[in-house]
């Protein structure tokens, strides 16, 4: 499955003046359904990452002040990620994000779920880091494939939410 | 007590190209002593904030993935703050920070303790936010008084560490 089979495209933009990546993506789901898909560890593990990823959740407390950690297996390699949840509320999720392979790097991520009505929602995701170099490396890392594949898997999950 | 009585001055700088505040301050303490002063809630409550502040810790788990929340009483007003600890390790503390009076705003803070030898340490603190406007409002808010007073109180605490 890839994005050519999805009804909606993801927009990924680098801010020209701030070390921020912004992503926007519509879904045929309510904000509450999308919130569940991002906070329920079993659901989250089923859609995050590129196709062929096997995600094991090691730690998960998706509440304000909670924490998360998972390992993604892909093409015989394992990739670890971890962070803490600054805020999990109806209006947004704010969390930190580190790829264990680059432990110095920390992103501050904000997810907002905009209700478009008629069972549709626009996800606004923002990722803030402390340098333009780090932001641009992340953009060049192939992250787009993971995002496009992941959201296509999330589309397919929505019917179960 | 104010900074004119302190041996060391704090440097507070706004990055011209990034929405970051950087602070540097030397202490007559080891990195381990400064780490304790930042992670032990009873010690932290005694020095943080401007003179005359009465800080009550409401939640505190200064470990990787932990959380914190406190209320600072000052001049008859109460000010709440909260966040999560992304990383608490020997090399650094990375945490989020929100002033409850501005719940939209979230800073990502990084503290590093550089060992200068002879029982002295240089604290490098970085605060990253997602807009220059937010960063400059914080700088104009009188935060410098809290920083200067707080570190002078921390100087006085070091003998007990």
């Amino acid at each position: 499955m890839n994005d050519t089979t999805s009804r909606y495209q993801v927009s990924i933009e680098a801010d020209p003046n701030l070390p921020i990546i912004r992503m926007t993506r519509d879904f045929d789901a309510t904000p509450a359904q999308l919130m569940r898909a991002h906070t329920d560890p079993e659901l989250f593990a089923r859609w995050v990452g590129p196709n062929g990823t096997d995600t094991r959740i090691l730690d998960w407390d998706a509440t304000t002040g909670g924490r998360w950690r998972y390992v993604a297996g892909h093409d015989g390699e394992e990739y670890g990620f971890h962070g803490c949840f600054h805020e999990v509320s109806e209006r947004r999720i704010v969390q930190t994000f580190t790829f264990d392979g680059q432990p110095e790097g920390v992103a501050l991520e904000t997810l907002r779920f905009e209700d478009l009505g008629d069972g549709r929602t626009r996800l606004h995701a923002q990722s803030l880091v402390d340098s333009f170099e780090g932001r641009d490396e992340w953009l060049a890392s192939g992250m787009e494939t993971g995002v496009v594949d992941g959201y296509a898997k999330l589309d397919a999950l929505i019917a179960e939410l």
Side-chain angles (χ1 to χ4, degrees), chain A:
Chain A
M1 184 183 297
N2 60 51
D3 203 51
T4 60
T5 67
S6 290
R7 178 173 171 191
Y8 302 115
Q9 303 285 315
V10 61
S11 155
I12 303 179
E13 289 187 3
D15 190 294
N17 301 313
L18 294 163
I20 286 176
I21 298 169
R22 291 197 186 83
M23 300 195 296
T24 308
R25 172 67 150 78
D26 289 357
F27 292 90
D28 287 323
T30 65
Q33 286 174 311
L34 282 188
M35 180 64 78
R36 266 197 73 207
H38 283 81
T39 55
D40 180 301
E42 293 182 17
L43 293 172
F44 182 78
R46 287 172 60 190
W47 69 261
V48 73
N51 292 338
T53 300
D54 177 30
T55 299
R56 288 182 294 120
I57 306 289
L58 305 181
D59 200 357
W60 193 269
D61 174 12
T63 62
T64 294
R67 70 184 78 192
W68 63 270
R69 183 181 292 276
Y70 65 81
V71 172
H74 191 71
D75 288 341
E77 301 286 335
E78 297 227 305
Y79 305 90
F81 304 89
H82 73 277
C84 58
F85 288 103
H86 175 76
E87 177 181 328
V88 180
S89 64
E90 276 201 13
R91 60 178 181 167
R92 67 179 185 176
I93 298 172
V94 183
Q95 63 186 78
T96 61
F97 177 97
T98 284
F99 166 44
D100 295 348
Q102 294 186 321
E104 289 291 327
V106 185
L108 182 65
E109 300 190 331
T110 303
L111 308 180
R112 288 191 303 108
F113 304 101
E114 180 190 358
D115 192 348
L116 301 177
D118 296 324
R120 291 187 309 124
T121 299
R122 184 161 296 158
L123 167 62
H124 300 269
Q126 171 178 297
S127 184
L128 167 70
V129 293
D130 69 355
S131 78
F132 290 98
E133 295 78 7
R135 188 271 308 271
D136 294 341
E137 279 175 25
W138 182 242
L139 276 174
S141 72
M143 57 81 81
E144 185 172 355
T145 301
V147 170
V148 169
D149 286 359
Y151 289 155
K153 288 185 279 182
L154 178 48
D155 281 337
L157 257 185
I158 286 168
E160 301 180 33
L161 300 181

